[in-house]
Amino acid sequence: MSANFDVFQQTFALSLLSNLASDYIAKERYIPGTHGDPLEAQLATNIQATLPLPVVTAGLGDGWQIVWGPAVWRGAESRVAQNAALVFYNPAVTFEDGTTAPTHVVAISATNLISGYDWIVEDFTVSSTVNWTQYHPAVPSATVVSHDALMPVISKGTATGVAHIAALTPTDPAHGKTSLSAFIRQLNGTVNEGARIVFTGHSLAGALAPTFALYLKEHGALSAFERVQVYPTAGASPGNGSFSRRFAHAFPRKAAGEKPWQSWNSLIRNQYDIVPHAWSLSTLLQLLTIYGNSDAEGGVKLPEQIYGVVLAALADSAASKTLYAALPSAQFSGASPGSAPATAAAYLTMAGNQHVKAYISEILGADFPAVGHGPTVPGVIEFNDATQRIAAIVKILEKILHPGAGG
């Protein structure tokens, strides 16, 4: 069956599938080296349950298969997925220019909204930076002490996330026996002429996917592919202006359609999404009023917790002693946010809609499912209460504001 979605829509839909372990909590901590993390099993189950849905099948067609993963990473103390990825393959993908090619898509998961580690370590650790020219995923913690304006740097949070993704290895051998990095390097040595590979991810992975792709390209791991492309969505800035220019040189932007999201090697961003406003100082300041909040008489003041987080973000960005800069981007306008939010929960609900639902509606249509659920596997509990999820995020924000507080 042929696909109703174009290649950009297919890529974004596959990206979404990598996030289907986010609303689950494992009953036990995972012991490294043991067989089969139940969160990985749940992700696999949910993907297999989502792929046959009529709207998904109609959009993707029947050519896609999983050839590596899914795999989940979580720290020794965590009971939630903190990073995840998988690799899809289709022997005949039709691209925007009408050509057809065998294509792999590396799909990397977004921030798990109930993972404090994702927020605090991988998203918010921007005050420390890593020299890109010396970076290796096996040693991501080598931080920069002094800066040269021409030195490309990435945030320590991005460096840490890419390290997890590069080393990510399925806990179930049926999902793969090598790390993601090793799998891609093996592909590079075996793909047929004309093969292509696309790296994609949303939110946190909107920073990790382009950074991982650039690392692999600069280290010769993608040279056999005829075309290497990146399709990040809703990501924050992974590094400074020098890094952004380096990415743009390696992956020139290619607009290929009438819609802003029909563009390769560009960060696809919604103008009302708060995440792509990080970590440039000038765009972070816009978060104070992005949803209509104002200190003017009769205005709705920005909720205190949100104001505190924005100030903390500005302080962390400034403490980096570098100037963060967005990757080349293509912007669309989601639905107007409406009335200014008066509480942190209302702000986060509005931000969540602009960060996820707006992209799905814009790129895939409102009928495409944001979440797919298969049977709950042994060893996990589903966490799908929206109110509890917002409450959990508020607690994470409190930890960002008061890192030394107990609880």
Coordinates of all heavy atoms in Angstrom, one line a residue, residues 364-396:
L364 N 0.8 16.5 10.5 CA 0.1 15.2 10.2 C -1.4 15.3 10.2 O -2.1 14.4 9.7 CB 0.5 14.1 11.3 CG 2.0 13.9 11.4 CD1 2.3 12.8 12.5 CD2 2.6 13.4 10.1
G365 N -2.0 16.3 10.8 CA -3.4 16.4 10.9 C -3.9 16.0 12.3 O -3.3 15.2 13.0
A366 N -5.0 16.6 12.7 CA -5.5 16.5 14.1 C -5.9 15.0 14.4 O -6.0 14.6 15.5 CB -6.7 17.4 14.3
D367 N -6.1 14.2 13.4 CA -6.6 12.8 13.6 C -5.4 11.9 13.9 O -5.7 10.7 14.4 CB -7.3 12.3 12.4 CG -8.7 13.0 12.2 OD1 -9.2 13.5 13.2 OD2 -9.1 13.0 11.0
F368 N -4.2 12.3 13.7 CA -3.1 11.4 14.0 C -2.9 11.2 15.5 O -2.9 12.2 16.2 CB -1.8 11.9 13.4 CG -0.7 10.8 13.3 CD1 -0.7 10.0 12.2 CD2 0.2 10.7 14.3 CE1 0.3 9.0 12.1 CE2 1.2 9.7 14.2 CZ 1.2 8.9 13.1
P369 N -2.8 10.0 16.0 CA -2.7 9.8 17.4 C -1.4 10.2 18.0 O -0.3 9.9 17.5 CB -2.9 8.3 17.6 CG -2.3 7.7 16.3 CD -2.7 8.7 15.2
A370 N -1.4 11.0 19.1 CA -0.2 11.4 19.8 C 0.4 10.3 20.6 O 1.6 10.3 20.9 CB -0.5 12.6 20.7
V371 N -0.5 9.4 21.1 CA -0.1 8.3 21.9 C -0.7 7.0 21.4 O -1.9 7.0 21.0 CB -0.5 8.6 23.4 CG1 -0.1 7.4 24.3 CG2 0.1 9.9 23.9
G372 N 0.1 6.0 21.5 CA -0.4 4.6 21.1 C -0.2 3.7 22.3 O 0.8 3.8 23.0
H373 N -1.2 2.9 22.6 CA -1.1 2.0 23.7 C -1.4 0.5 23.3 O -2.4 0.2 22.7 CB -2.1 2.4 24.8 CG -1.9 3.7 25.4 ND1 -0.9 3.9 26.4 CD2 -2.5 4.9 25.2 CE1 -0.9 5.2 26.7 NE2 -1.8 5.8 26.0
G374 N -0.4 -0.3 23.7 CA -0.7 -1.8 23.6 C -1.0 -2.3 25.0 O -1.1 -1.5 25.9
P375 N -1.1 -3.6 25.1 CA -1.3 -4.1 26.5 C -0.1 -3.8 27.4 O 1.0 -3.7 27.0 CB -1.3 -5.7 26.2 CG -1.6 -5.8 24.8 CD -1.0 -4.6 24.1
T376 N -0.4 -3.5 28.6 CA 0.6 -3.1 29.6 C 1.4 -4.4 29.9 O 0.8 -5.4 30.3 CB 0.0 -2.6 30.9 OG1 -0.8 -1.4 30.6 CG2 1.1 -2.2 31.9
V377 N 2.7 -4.4 29.8 CA 3.5 -5.6 30.0 C 3.8 -5.7 31.5 O 3.7 -4.8 32.2 CB 4.8 -5.5 29.2 CG1 4.6 -5.2 27.7 CG2 5.8 -4.4 29.8
P378 N 4.1 -6.9 31.9 CA 4.5 -7.1 33.3 C 5.7 -6.3 33.7 O 6.6 -6.1 33.0 CB 4.9 -8.6 33.3 CG 4.1 -9.3 32.2 CD 4.1 -8.2 31.1
G379 N 5.5 -5.7 34.9 CA 6.7 -4.9 35.4 C 6.5 -3.4 35.2 O 7.4 -2.7 35.7
V380 N 5.4 -2.9 34.6 CA 5.3 -1.5 34.4 C 3.9 -1.1 34.8 O 2.9 -1.9 34.8 CB 5.6 -1.0 32.9 CG1 7.0 -1.4 32.5 CG2 4.6 -1.6 32.0
I381 N 3.7 0.2 35.1 CA 2.4 0.8 35.4 C 2.2 2.0 34.5 O 3.2 2.8 34.2 CB 2.4 1.3 36.9 CG1 2.7 0.2 37.8 CG2 1.1 2.0 37.2 CD1 3.0 0.7 39.2
E382 N 1.1 2.1 33.9 CA 0.8 3.2 33.0 C 0.5 4.5 33.8 O -0.2 4.4 34.8 CB -0.4 2.9 32.1 CG -0.6 4.0 31.0 CD -1.7 3.6 30.0 OE1 -2.3 2.5 30.1 OE2 -1.9 4.4 29.1
F383 N 1.0 5.6 33.4 CA 0.9 6.9 34.1 C 0.2 7.8 33.0 O 0.9 8.5 32.3 CB 2.2 7.4 34.5 CG 2.2 8.7 35.3 CD1 2.0 8.6 36.7 CD2 2.4 9.9 34.7 CE1 1.9 9.8 37.4 CE2 2.3 11.1 35.5 CZ 2.1 11.0 36.8
N384 N -1.1 7.9 33.0 CA -1.7 8.6 31.9 C -2.7 9.6 32.4 O -3.6 10.1 31.7 CB -2.4 7.6 31.0 CG -3.5 6.8 31.7 OD1 -3.7 6.9 32.9 ND2 -4.2 5.9 30.9
D385 N -2.6 10.0 33.7 CA -3.5 11.1 34.2 C -2.9 12.4 33.9 O -1.8 12.8 34.4 CB -3.7 10.9 35.7 CG -4.7 11.8 36.3 OD1 -4.4 13.1 36.4 OD2 -5.7 11.4 36.7
A386 N -3.5 13.2 33.1 CA -3.0 14.5 32.7 C -2.7 15.4 33.9 O -1.7 16.2 33.9 CB -3.9 15.2 31.6
T387 N -3.6 15.4 34.8 CA -3.5 16.3 36.0 C -2.3 15.9 36.8 O -1.5 16.8 37.2 CB -4.7 16.3 36.9 OG1 -5.9 16.7 36.1 CG2 -4.6 17.2 38.1
Q388 N -2.1 14.6 37.0 CA -0.9 14.1 37.8 C 0.4 14.4 37.0 O 1.4 14.7 37.6 CB -1.0 12.6 38.0 CG -2.1 12.2 39.0 CD -2.1 10.7 39.3 OE1 -1.1 10.1 39.2 NE2 -3.3 10.2 39.6
R389 N 0.3 14.4 35.7 CA 1.5 14.6 34.9 C 1.9 16.1 35.1 O 3.1 16.4 35.2 CB 1.2 14.3 33.4 CG 2.5 14.3 32.6 CD 2.2 14.1 31.1 NE 1.6 12.8 30.9 CZ 0.4 12.5 30.5 NH1 -0.4 13.6 30.3 NH2 -0.1 11.3 30.4
I390 N 1.0 17.0 35.0 CA 1.3 18.4 35.2 C 1.8 18.6 36.6 O 2.8 19.4 36.8 CB 0.1 19.3 35.0 CG1 -0.3 19.3 33.5 CG2 0.3 20.7 35.4 CD1 0.7 19.9 32.6
A391 N 1.2 18.0 37.6 CA 1.7 18.1 39.0 C 3.2 17.6 39.1 O 4.0 18.2 39.8 CB 0.8 17.3 39.9
A392 N 3.5 16.5 38.4 CA 4.8 16.0 38.4 C 5.8 17.0 37.8 O 6.9 17.2 38.3 CB 4.9 14.6 37.7
I393 N 5.4 17.6 36.7 CA 6.3 18.6 36.1 C 6.5 19.8 37.0 O 7.6 20.3 37.1 CB 5.7 19.0 34.7 CG1 5.6 17.9 33.7 CG2 6.5 20.2 34.1 CD1 4.8 18.1 32.5
V394 N 5.4 20.3 37.7 CA 5.6 21.4 38.6 C 6.6 21.0 39.7 O 7.5 21.9 40.1 CB 4.2 21.8 39.2 CG1 4.4 22.8 40.3 CG2 3.3 22.4 38.2
K395 N 6.6 19.8 40.2 CA 7.6 19.4 41.2 C 9.0 19.4 40.6 O 10.0 19.8 41.3 CB 7.3 18.0 41.6 CG 6.0 17.9 42.6 CD 5.8 16.5 43.1 CE 4.6 16.4 44.0 NZ 4.4 15.0 44.5
I396 N 9.1 19.0 39.3 CA 10.4 19.1 38.7 C 10.9 20.5 38.6 O 12.1 20.8 38.8 CB 10.4 18.4 37.3 CG1 10.2 16.9 37.4 CG2 11.7 18.7 36.5 CD1 9.8 16.2 36.1

